[in-house]
């Protein structure tokens, strides 16, 4: 704010301490109070509340267009019209969550000022509101827009500053310019939390290739046609700048088509709710193994219907993966471990928790047999937890005591075997008491 305006707004004599606060300080107080991540209606309510401190504060706020730039249809027409007038020529943050024409008729003439747009519109005329160039637009969020037969380029393709696109229940054609040069892409296919949205695989991969500087990628509730629907298996896309990756889709094979060599935060949640997505996610194994090799210490837990992988506390990069695929969880984990150890030992410290009784025998078999190169499986295995409460003790004895190669593998490491099985104690004692120089603790 220039000195002339400051002199006009700041009275020379006043009994109120609020009136003696410098103009610049008032503006900074208001600015800081709006930095909390709230919705546009909450932000504008806060601005209006701060105007009520006194006349001096109201004049300071009214003279700053940047405080009036969050224009939302959730307010009354009188209020958002007044805000737009006070914003003068400042960049706008537009939030439209109504099918009423009045709001967008007021805002469309100002598309050259749009800096961000959140747009939810269910009527067929929705796309017509996105047909004007938006040279300052940096963030675009579309909710549940209806499909259209003759798609035209959004904003006439004039969106040179667009870096963030979030589409929820809405998919524009992949050749659109909105999928070029992005830093953040969020695809959410859930409609009402129940339905998955189908995307075209080749177009999706092309969009990723067109954004080599992509830093944040989120794919949730999205279904892509399987590899069998394409004439040839597509080549994986490498995203060297990606730092955050969130994946939640029953189309597991998509994981195998994305390479994230430098990602520091990965969250994977794959659930197969039933046909037609009830598939065995073998295609996800190579991608998950690639991610595993990037971190130093993980915890793998297997339950009867799912298995999860999480980075141990304090370890970076962060990894959180959960796979639910009835009834394949046990096979999924064992296949994953086998592939991870196929050519070279996994260089990751592992805590292995097995709480699925049916998996105890195959897991022990896996550990007992060396890799093809003759090395021990999971050489950095730190802890083994076997939930044996439902496994007959005779079966445990047969699995362990009758197999010298397995005893050698297990007793040569500082492992913990937890079970809770009961009598006969002589068998339990023999399992839990290896040679004196080695320890296997309950």
């Amino acid at each position: 704010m220039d000195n002339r305006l400051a002199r006009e707004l700041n009275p020379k004599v006043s009994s109120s301490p609020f009136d003696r606060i410098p103009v610049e300080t008032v503006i900074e107080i208001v600015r800081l109070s709006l930095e909390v991540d709230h919705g546009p209606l909450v932000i504008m309510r806060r601005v209006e509340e701060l105007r009520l401190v006194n006349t001096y504060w109201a004049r300071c706020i009214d003279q700053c267009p940047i405080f009036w730039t969050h224009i939302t249809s959730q307010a009354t027409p009188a209020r958002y019209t007044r805000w737009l007038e006070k914003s003068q020529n400042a960049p706008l943050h537009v939030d439209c969550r109504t099918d009423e024409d009045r709001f967008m008729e007021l805002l469309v003439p100002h598309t050259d000022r749009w800096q961000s747009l959140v747009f939810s519109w269910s009527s067929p005329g929705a796309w017509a509101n996105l047909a004007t160039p938006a040279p300052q637009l940096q963030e675009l969020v579309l909710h549940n827009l209806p499909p259209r037969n003759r798609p035209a380029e959004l904003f006439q393709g004039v969106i040179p500053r667009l870096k963030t696109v979030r589409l929820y229940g809405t998919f524009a054609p992949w050749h659109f310019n909105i999928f070029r040069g992005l830093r953040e892409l969020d695809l959410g296919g859930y409609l009402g939390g129940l339905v998955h949205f189908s995307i075209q695989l080749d177009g999706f991969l092309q969009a990723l290739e067109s954004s080599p500087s992509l830093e944040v990628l989120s794919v949730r509730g999205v279904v892509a046609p399987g590899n069998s629907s394409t004439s040839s298996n597509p080549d994986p896309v490498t995203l060297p700048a990606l730092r955050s990756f969130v994946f939640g889709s029953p189309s597991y094979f998509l994981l195998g088509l994305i390479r994230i060599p430098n990602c520091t935060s990965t969250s994977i949640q794959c659930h197969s709710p039933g046909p037609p997505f009830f598939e065995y996610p073998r295609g996800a194994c190579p991608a998950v193994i690639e991610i595993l090799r990037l971190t130093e210490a993980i915890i793998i837990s297997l339950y009867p219907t799912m298995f999860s992988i999480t980075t141990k506390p304090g370890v970076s990069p962060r990894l959180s993966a959960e796979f639910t695929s009835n009834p394949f969880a046990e096979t999924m984990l064992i296949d994953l471990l086998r592939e991870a150890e196929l050519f070279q030992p996994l260089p990751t410290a592992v805590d292995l928790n097995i709480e699925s009784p049916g998996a105890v025998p195959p897991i022990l078999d896996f550990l007992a047999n060396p890799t093809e190169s003759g090395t021990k499986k999971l050489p950095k295995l730190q802890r083994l937890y076997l939930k044996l409460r439902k496994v007959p003790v005779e079966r445990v004895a047969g699995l362990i005591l009758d197999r010298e190669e397995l005893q050698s593998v297990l007793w040569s490491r500082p492992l913990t075997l937890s079970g809770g099985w009961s009598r006969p104690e002589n068998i339990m004692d023999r399992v839990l008491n290896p040679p004196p120089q080695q320890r296997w603790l309950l």
Side-chain angles (χ1 to χ4, degrees):
M1 183 174 293
D2 58 45
N3 293 331
R4 178 189 60 79
L5 183 57
R7 288 194 300 271
E8 292 177 0
L9 293 177
N10 200 2
K12 295 181 180 179
V13 179
S14 175
S15 59
S16 171
F18 290 102
D19 286 348
R20 293 195 293 269
I21 299 176
V23 177
E24 291 79 4
T25 303
V26 173
I27 293 174
E28 184 66 9
I29 291 172
V30 177
R31 186 188 66 80
L32 292 174
S33 70
L34 302 180
E35 285 188 348
V36 181
D37 187 16
H38 289 306
L41 187 59
V42 175
I43 291 176
M44 296 312 297
R45 282 175 179 168
R46 182 62 174 160
V47 172
E48 292 177 331
E49 289 170 354
L50 291 171
R51 288 186 76 255
L52 301 178
V53 172
N54 59 18
T55 303
Y56 170 53
W57 277 54
R59 294 175 64 194
C60 292
I61 294 173
D62 288 345
Q63 294 295 326
C64 292
I66 60 172
F67 295 147
W68 303 98
T69 58
H70 292 268
I71 315 298
T72 174
S73 62
Q74 295 175 299
T76 63
R79 292 174 72 194
Y80 63 64
T81 300
R82 182 172 66 252
W83 300 341
L84 182 61
E85 292 173 353
K86 291 179 178 292
S87 69
Q88 299 182 22
N89 294 316
L92 297 176
H93 303 279
V94 180
D95 179 80
C96 177
R97 301 176 187 271
T98 178
D99 284 4
E100 296 180 5
D101 294 333
R102 178 175 181 175
F103 181 78
M104 290 307 293
E105 286 176 355
L106 182 67
L107 271 299
V108 166
H110 300 276
T111 53
D112 60 327
R113 296 168 53 198
W114 291 2
Q115 188 172 84
S116 67
L117 172 64
V118 177
F119 190 57
S120 177
W121 192 297
S122 59
S123 66
W127 299 95
N129 295 293
L130 311 178
T132 308
Q136 294 194 58
L137 190 65
Q138 299 178 19
E139 179 177 351
L140 175 64
V141 183
L142 303 180
H143 288 267
N144 301 328
L145 267 65
R148 53 182 179 167
N149 297 327
R150 297 181 179 180
E153 184 75 61
L154 300 185
F155 309 107
Q156 299 181 20
V158 183
I159 39 174
R161 297 186 179 183
L162 187 63
K163 297 299 178 185
T164 299
V165 171
R166 298 187 178 96
L167 304 181
Y168 305 119
T170 302
F171 290 102
W174 295 110
H175 65 273
F176 277 9
N177 279 0
I178 63 170
F179 297 111
R180 305 291 180 269
L182 296 178
R183 295 292 179 87
E184 181 174 351
L185 176 60
D186 187 350
L187 303 179
Y190 293 110
L191 297 174
L194 298 175
V195 182
H196 292 79
F197 224 91
S198 179
I199 62 173
Q200 194 254 337
L201 178 60
D202 292 341
F204 169 65
L205 296 178
Q206 181 182 352
L208 296 184
E209 290 179 343
S210 300
S211 297
S213 298
L214 194 68
E215 297 177 358
V216 178
L217 175 62
S218 179
V219 181
R220 295 168 295 174
V222 169
V223 176
N227 295 37
S228 59
S229 65
T230 58
S231 57
S232 61
N233 292 330
D235 294 329
V237 176
T238 300
L239 302 173
L242 201 70
R243 297 294 180 267
S244 176
F245 180 43
V246 176
F247 184 87
S249 166
S251 294
Y252 296 100
F253 74 92
L254 285 175
L255 282 172
L257 299 177
I258 302 173
R259 298 288 182 265
I260 50 174
N262 302 308
C263 193
T264 56
S265 178
T266 304
S267 178
I268 301 172
Q269 286 193 334
C270 291
H271 307 281
S272 286
F277 314 122
F278 196 67
E279 63 182 56
Y280 175 66
R282 189 182 301 274
C285 287
V288 175
I289 293 169
E290 181 177 305
I291 298 170
L292 290 182
R293 293 185 181 277
L294 298 177
T295 189
E296 296 179 358
I298 58 173
I299 302 171
I300 301 178
S301 299
L302 173 65
Y303 307 98
T305 60
M306 54 102 41
F307 79 89
S308 65
I309 307 170
T310 56
T311 308
K312 297 183 75 171
V315 174
S316 182
R318 189 181 68 84
L319 169 64
S320 174
E322 180 180 299
F323 293 87
T324 301
S325 185
N326 256 344
F328 304 124
E330 296 171 1
T331 308
M332 287 169 60
L333 175 58
I334 294 172
D335 278 359
L336 177 73
L337 294 176
R338 284 173 178 164
E339 290 199 33
E341 300 282 293
L342 188 59
F343 299 109
Q344 56 181 327
L346 191 68
T348 305
V350 177
D351 283 9
L352 186 57
N353 305 320
I354 307 300
E355 297 198 20
S356 177
V360 172
I363 287 292
L364 291 178
D365 285 339
F366 167 78
L367 293 173
N369 299 315
T371 65
E372 291 187 356
S373 61
T375 60
K376 288 192 302 185
K377 301 285 184 62
L378 300 179
K380 290 191 176 182
L381 184 63
Q382 302 295 307
R383 178 179 181 270
L384 175 64
Y385 173 92
L386 300 179
K387 186 176 182 179
L388 303 175
R389 196 175 300 274
K390 295 183 180 181
V391 180
V393 67
E394 295 82 4
R395 183 75 183 278
V396 175
L399 287 171
I400 299 174
L401 298 180
D402 298 339
R403 302 181 60 179
E404 294 183 2
E405 73 280 9
L406 182 57
Q407 295 178 28
S408 175
V409 168
L410 295 178
W411 288 345
S412 64
R413 306 178 185 187
L415 304 179
T416 300
L417 177 66
S418 299
W421 70 89
S422 57
R423 311 291 188 207
E425 287 189 0
N426 62 325
I427 296 181
M428 185 171 66
D429 290 341
R430 290 173 59 196
V431 171
L432 298 177
N433 289 280
Q437 68 274 20
Q438 298 163 336
R439 298 185 63 195
W440 189 3
L441 304 178
L442 176 62

